[in-house]
Amino acid sequence: MLEVSHLCVRYENRSIPAVQDISFSIGHGEFVVLAGDSASGKSTVMQAVCRFIPEIIPAELSGSIRIDGEELVDPIDTARFIAMVQQDPETQFCTETVEEEVAFGLENFRFKEEDIRRRVHEALEMVNASHLTDRSISTLSGGEKQKVAIASMLALDPRILILDEPTSSLDPKSVAEVVSAIEKFRAVRSMTVVVVEHRVREFIDMATRIILMDRGKIVHDCTAEDLKFTGICKSLAEARSYPKIVPREGTVLTISHLDYQIGGKKILDDVGLTVTDGAVVALMGENGAGKTTLLKHIMGLIKVSSGSIEFKNHRITENNPVEPWILGRDIGLVFQNPNHQMFEKTVEKEIEFGPVNFGTSMEEAENAISSFESIEGVRRYVHPQCLSFGQKRRVNIRSASAHEPSILLLDEPFAGQDENNVSKIMELLANLQRSGKTIIVVTHDIQFARGFCTDTLIMRHGRVVADGPIERISEESWQDLLPKGGKMDG
């Protein structure tokens, strides 16, 4: 059905091709997982298959891509056969509301109005997102946006469905829902599915094949059963090792009775939080629980309308607002979407952005730049938009901390990261904590929260349902974060 022959892709300003002479074929009805470390070339291959490369994303491409023997070179023609949910769902949104977005492709392919309504309803129902139908996309959480992007592609009923990291921003319950929906849809429609994923174990039981990439090349192409016996996925089951994190004395941040609502819907409901100096706090809860909204309040990106936030010599209330550029000297924020905070034309300038604007020492920035070059094998003069999604995230963390703020806020920093780079980020966070920073991390990773963090705060429907030191959080509270019958790793 899909045949890729001798595919090579090289991005502008990169001496080494991102994809190096790979060939593979995928048959009708297969469920293939394309796996590999961050920046191994997985997303690039699928963008080439959809003809986003080179028609939309500039890059040199050679080789051939055929569907049923026919070579398609135009992305519009290709879209009649192949639908792709991209790693960053926001890059494919074209409308303002959820219903309009799911209907967008159907309208462009001139489906009948009654068919459009039916397909929109069915697709949203499949990913358990029917309640979002009338919502504005701009008000959705990252996980909710991911569900909408998946629904918009499912509605097209394509012959080949490609999903690039479809679970990266989802809470454990939503992961189970989406995985189940994909498998049901494939079984009913006899659809070919390709999933690009770090979390191979989420799909290994339903996959017919695993294609493993490393540095732009295919290193393994085998059945899921064969992969289990090769030991390649052994690291997924291994327990992580965690550094010892010890908080210091004193309180650095206090939040009291914080409320926030949009259009009559409460997003934050009487939220309270006390953060100790040097703590690493895991902020957890289902998609749409209010976690990102809470971080934006702390950063000053959303004005306090009810309640208060106390930090250093600031007491922020509705009548006493503080602008984010003032708070930004002492608070760094890593956004959920790394593309939302890329301002410069080189990695070097991106990491230097904070120190230059706040007039702080450049020493920490230079150390961060040198570290990135050494670990990633990427020169400082590369444009940030040429980096992989995971590499952009790691630039974000260095950029947000280079001006040495006392508090660092991170919104799902492990999304799009392979296990090796999760370990690198944890090491980076541990070093930042030891250097005097207090850290608040939005995460769905229970293993990370219990093994690395000193405290946690669990939210549900805008309210705090559990908080305190990790050892005081009940097993019931942890279990409530999982789907029914789910088990915790580690």
Side-chain angles (χ1 to χ4, degrees), residues 174-208:
S174 294
V175 168
E177 291 168 359
V178 167
V179 170
S180 176
I182 293 169
E183 176 58 7
K184 286 178 182 177
F185 205 82
R186 184 183 76 92
V188 171
R189 306 292 175 89
S190 298
M191 179 189 296
T192 300
V193 176
V194 181
V195 174
V196 178
E197 258 291 357
H198 295 303
R199 292 193 275 192
V200 176
R201 57 185 157 187
E202 304 289 354
F203 297 94
I204 198 166
D205 289 335
M206 64 183 72
T208 57

Side-chain angles (χ1 to χ4, degrees), residues 44 63 66 68 71 122 159 180 185 195 259 281 316-317 326 330 360 398 411 423 437 484 486:
T44 298
R66 300 177 185 274
D68 291 338
E71 186 164 9
E122 289 176 353
R159 292 170 63 184
S180 176
F185 205 82
V195 174
D259 286 340
V281 182
I316 308 165
T317 64
I326 297 175
D330 291 302
T360 59
R398 288 173 168 85
D411 198 348
S423 297
K437 294 172 180 57
K484 189 174 182 180

Side-chain angles (χ1 to χ4, degrees), residues 5 20 27 31 87 111 134 221-222 235 242 272 279 311 348 373 451:
S5 300
Q20 304 184 44
F31 192 121
Q87 191 172 20
F111 279 75
D134 298 323
D221 185 347
C222 57
S235 62
Y242 296 101
F311 167 67
E348 179 182 56
E373 284 187 306

Side-chain angles (χ1 to χ4, degrees), residues 97 327 392 449:
T97 71
L327 293 171
K392 289 177 183 177

Side-chain angles (χ1 to χ4, degrees), residues 106 177 211 239 274 287 327 340 364 372 399 469:
L106 300 169
E177 291 168 359
I211 298 176
T274 300
N287 297 123
L327 293 171
H340 286 179
E364 180 63 28
F372 184 82
S399 177

